[in-house]
Amino acid sequence: MGQTPAQKAAKAARGQQPKQRPGKAQRAAAKQAQAAKKTGGGKPAAKKTVPLPRGAVRAARPGTCPACFKDYDKGTVITKLPDGWGHRACAPRKPSAAELAFARNKARIESGETFRSQKPSDWRLGSSPSSSRPAR
């Protein structure tokens, strides 16, 4: 509630100063402090960690990589290998779907198969394809 000018003058005479409204910066700081109390007591922000690649974990204790026989420390990023846990670089690389399809097709070609109805070619050496087939 507001005070009358006479009440303000009486306080000033007794040596009490009227309360002044805090400045904009002070109000912003007070709001931040209240927000910090509500959210968690103003704890320092946690360090941002980079997410680990799929299938990788941080080592809980030191160990030895079964592929290269080198030691790794606690906290090192490791992955599951065929023989146990080790360095991600030591893991065998999985080929992509395109690489697998290419390898299958290459094997079929090298074995003598053709891709046209799985029949052997009827081309005659030195002739064009149009002259190699019987007329319809």
Side-chain angles (χ1 to χ4, degrees):
M1 291 192 204
Q3 296 177 344
T4 63
Q7 290 172 334
K8 287 181 185 176
K11 276 189 179 180
R14 289 191 304 251
Q16 295 176 348
Q17 294 294 325
K19 288 186 179 177
Q20 292 184 350
R21 188 167 179 221
K24 189 175 186 178
Q26 291 169 333
R27 287 192 308 264
K31 273 188 182 181
Q32 274 185 331
Q34 287 175 349
K37 272 186 186 177
K38 287 180 184 178
T39 58
K43 294 179 184 174
K47 286 195 313 185
K48 289 186 179 181
T49 58
V50 178
L52 295 174
R54 186 182 199 109
V57 296
R58 293 206 182 270
R61 55 187 164 276
T64 304
C65 177
C68 65
F69 301 107
K70 291 183 182 176
D71 294 333
Y72 56 83
D73 296 328
K74 178 181 176 180
T76 305
V77 178
I78 56 174
T79 191
K80 185 74 171 157
L81 301 176
D83 301 328
W85 290 88
H87 301 114
R88 291 194 65 235
C90 297
R93 191 176 80 70
K94 292 182 181 177
S96 67
E99 290 171 325
L100 291 172
F102 176 82
R104 272 194 310 272
N105 290 339
K106 184 176 178 183
R108 289 175 67 191
I109 291 169
E110 288 174 347
S111 70
E113 290 184 43
T114 61
F115 289 93
R116 218 166 159 93
S117 304
Q118 304 298 322
K119 291 188 273 185
S121 175
D122 58 351
W123 283 22
R124 286 182 281 159
L125 189 59
S127 302
S128 68
S130 62
S131 64
S132 64
R133 295 196 176 99
R136 293 184 185 183

